Amino acid sequence: MASTLHLFLFSIAVVFFSSSNVANSIPQAFQLSIRKDDVTLQYYTSFEVGLTQFIVDAVIDLGAPFLWFNCDDGYNSSSYNPVPCGSSKCKTAKGIGCSGCNGTPRPGCTNNTCSMFPYNPFNNSLRSGGLGEDNIYVYETDGRSVLLQINVPRFPFVCADSGSLNGLAEGTKGILGLGRTQIALPMQLANAFKLKRKFALCVPSSSQSGLGDIFIGGGPYYMLPYTKNVSELLITTPLIINPVSTAPIYSEGDPSDEYFIGVKSIKIDGQIVKLKTSLLSIDNKGVGGTKISTINPYTILHTSIYKAVLKDFVKKAASRKITRVASVAPFGACFSSKTIASTMTGPAVPTIDLVLQSKSVYWRIYGANSMVKVKENVLCLGVVDGGSKPRTSIVIGGHQLEDNMLEFDLASSKLGFSSSLLLHNTNCSHYRIF
């Protein structure tokens, strides 16, 4: 069940859409905590909206274009303002047409309002909603501790209804998008506070021993007991723009808001997997390539890549005298954990390398991120078959992201990645000091 870390600190008012009006004490970076829901395996964060500081738990969707939440569940803020259709803010948000309402005016029920379409990827539903603005409250950070709560007026979001929530983690009210758009949280805060156009994710494998982090504005990033700045561990690779939108609704010529990287090959225990390399590139229709996702719990592979990876992984596992057992859906290769040793990076299984722009640049996936415990004494390789005609050939899912630091540099279009923080005797679960 979703729970909320509700912290009451004094707030500093700043004017949101005009960076020239930001308060004298300008934050250098912001932090939001990440929890993992054990039932749905979704990751979510919490923040407050409106003068009454209405608490919103929102599922994190790395590639979604904006924040939306259910406005019919106790949110009735006097500081809410609808964004008029045809306005410059509506155009910036890529609103489509006008929405109206016959009921009593309230957030989510206003006339002549910029119309948007909040999308729920968990049940593949698309509904209409009105774009509005209100205060949101987020916390400043120095990379170690959470500092002051900052009041950010006129933050844009879309009001949805309760029917939009099917499939979301229990207790959550919507989706926080971090995609490549002007109204997503990273760009809004960066523009308002003149921050570096960077944000970072450190997704926890569990919320039992601490919370993960979203950092906005760049480092440093500290993950105790590791005492150094984790940003110094990051290896960089270009972020690739898919020229064709992957959104459920878009205009011709729109690029994708999601984050793609250029995987050139895959290695298992140092041996290249034989696969159709053309699948690793994005074609002129936007098909193929590799993207990063927080909404898919496990990595999804094109069928031909999936079969090749499983074949080579099973072969390498057998050479380590790891015993294969019956598969457990949705996974295709499972093993007896009694025949697998433990290491600081999880089960001692063959490593998987996603080789990037050169042979010396690769994202190594160790046992903690490759294996999933499905029942007593059974571990499965945590990748699933995405079919023979997927839109994207490789979707790196949440399990493979856990306890890895990822930094998205929007200015230089680069991804910084740490590989497993377990190598440095730390992880993404922390309770930060206030």
Side-chain angles (χ1 to χ4, degrees):
M1 177 180 292
S3 60
T4 302
L5 183 65
H6 192 189
L7 302 164
F8 293 96
L9 298 173
F10 70 93
S11 58
I12 299 174
V14 298
V15 174
F16 186 73
F17 277 95
S18 174
S19 58
S20 62
N21 291 328
V22 174
N24 291 331
S25 178
I26 299 177
Q28 298 303 303
F30 292 95
Q31 186 270 355
L32 290 85
S33 296
I34 301 175
R35 290 177 177 80
K36 181 179 180 180
D37 181 73
D38 292 334
V39 176
T40 62
L41 306 183
Q42 294 168 13
Y43 308 100
Y44 64 97
T45 189
S46 302
F47 49 89
E48 297 164 353
V49 181
L51 293 179
T52 58
Q53 296 189 255
F54 177 73
I55 300 168
V56 175
D57 290 345
V59 175
I60 299 162
D61 185 346
L62 178 62
F66 51 78
L67 165 66
W68 65 262
F69 63 86
N70 176 21
C71 291
D72 295 339
D73 186 24
Y75 170 66
N76 191 10
S77 171
S78 61
S79 52
Y80 172 86
N81 288 297
V83 173
C85 46
S87 65
S88 60
K89 291 178 182 178
C90 184
K91 292 176 181 177
T92 297
K94 297 184 178 181
I96 302 175
C98 287
S99 63
C101 183
N102 295 325
T104 303
R106 66 184 189 280
C109 184
T110 54
N111 290 317
N112 301 316
T113 303
C114 180
S115 185
M116 303 283 284
F117 293 89
Y119 175 62
N120 180 341
F122 301 103
N123 66 3
N124 196 31
S125 67
L126 188 70
R127 303 169 78 96
S128 63
L131 180 66
E133 302 171 325
D134 205 343
N135 307 335
I136 69 165
Y137 298 84
V138 290
Y139 287 89
E140 180 185 4
T141 185
D142 59 2
R144 288 186 176 86
S145 304
V146 174
L147 306 174
L148 302 176
Q149 188 184 52
I150 307 297
N151 171 13
V152 184
R154 300 201 281 279
F155 187 90
F157 61 91
V158 176
C159 271
D161 56 36
S162 58
S164 301
L165 304 181
N166 292 333
L168 298 187
E170 184 178 355
T172 60
K173 295 181 172 72
I175 286 181
L176 176 65
L178 301 176
R180 288 177 176 262
T181 70
Q182 290 299 310
I183 65 167
L185 184 68
M187 284 299 293
Q188 283 285 301
L189 294 184
N191 289 339
F193 294 94
K194 298 183 179 179
L195 304 177
K196 294 177 183 177
R197 291 167 58 192
K198 295 181 178 182
F199 72 97
L201 291 179
C202 203
V203 177
S205 56
S206 169
S207 299
Q208 301 303 313
S209 58
L211 310 179
D213 298 288
I214 303 173
F215 293 104
I216 296 173
Y221 314 120
Y222 290 98
M223 302 285 162
L224 295 177
Y226 185 73
T227 57
K228 297 180 181 179
N229 178 6
V230 170
S231 63
E232 296 173 358
L233 300 175
L234 302 181
I235 301 167
T236 60
T237 191
L239 285 168
I240 296 172
I241 295 178
N242 187 329
V244 182
S245 177
T246 49
I249 184 170
Y250 62 93
S251 299
E252 186 175 355
D254 286 349
S256 175
D257 299 326
E258 298 188 277
Y259 297 98
F260 287 75
I261 57 174
V263 173
K264 302 299 183 185
S265 64
I266 300 173
K267 291 182 178 181
I268 296 179
D269 263 357
Q271 181 177 320
I272 292 179
V273 177
K274 293 180 181 179
L275 50 83
K276 189 177 180 180
T277 56
S278 61
L279 294 172
L280 302 179
S281 299
I282 301 170
D283 67 18
N284 58 9
K285 295 181 180 180
V287 176
T290 301
K291 73 178 182 181
I292 304 170
S293 170
T294 55
I295 62 170
N296 297 106
Y298 307 108
T299 290
I300 304 171
L301 302 176
H302 184 289
T303 291
S304 65
I305 299 175
Y306 173 80
K307 289 180 177 179
V309 167
L310 254 65
K311 178 183 176 182
D312 287 7
F313 190 90
V314 168
K315 183 178 179 180
K316 289 291 186 180
S319 70
R320 292 175 176 235
K321 301 188 185 307
I322 296 173
T323 301
R324 189 174 183 182
V325 297
S327 298
V328 178
F331 308 116
C334 298
F335 306 89
S336 168
S337 59
K338 293 180 179 179
T339 61
I340 302 174
S342 297
T343 72
M344 69 185 302
T345 55
V349 296
T351 57
I352 301 173
D353 293 341
L354 303 179
V355 183
L356 299 161
Q357 65 266 33
S358 70
K359 293 180 181 179
S360 62
V361 181
Y362 51 87
W363 182 343
R364 176 158 290 177
I365 300 172
Y366 294 91
N369 292 109
S370 65
M371 306 305 290
V372 179
K373 182 178 179 180
V374 295
K375 59 183 178 180
E376 190 70 23
N377 299 323
V378 178
L379 294 173
C380 297
L381 180 62
V383 298
V384 297
D385 188 343
S388 60
K389 294 184 179 180
R391 174 65 191 273
T392 303
S393 299
I394 301 175
V395 180
I396 303 174
H399 185 71
Q400 282 68 44
L401 305 180
E402 291 174 352
D403 295 323
N404 285 239
M405 174 64 78
L406 302 178
E407 182 184 69
F408 298 81
D409 188 332
L410 304 179
S412 64
S413 197
K414 291 182 179 179
L415 172 73
F417 60 95
S418 66
S419 194
S420 178
L421 292 176
L422 301 179
L423 285 167
H424 305 280
N425 195 35
T426 192
N427 55 43
C428 288
S429 297
H430 301 275
Y431 290 113
R432 296 199 177 272
I433 300 172
F434 288 84

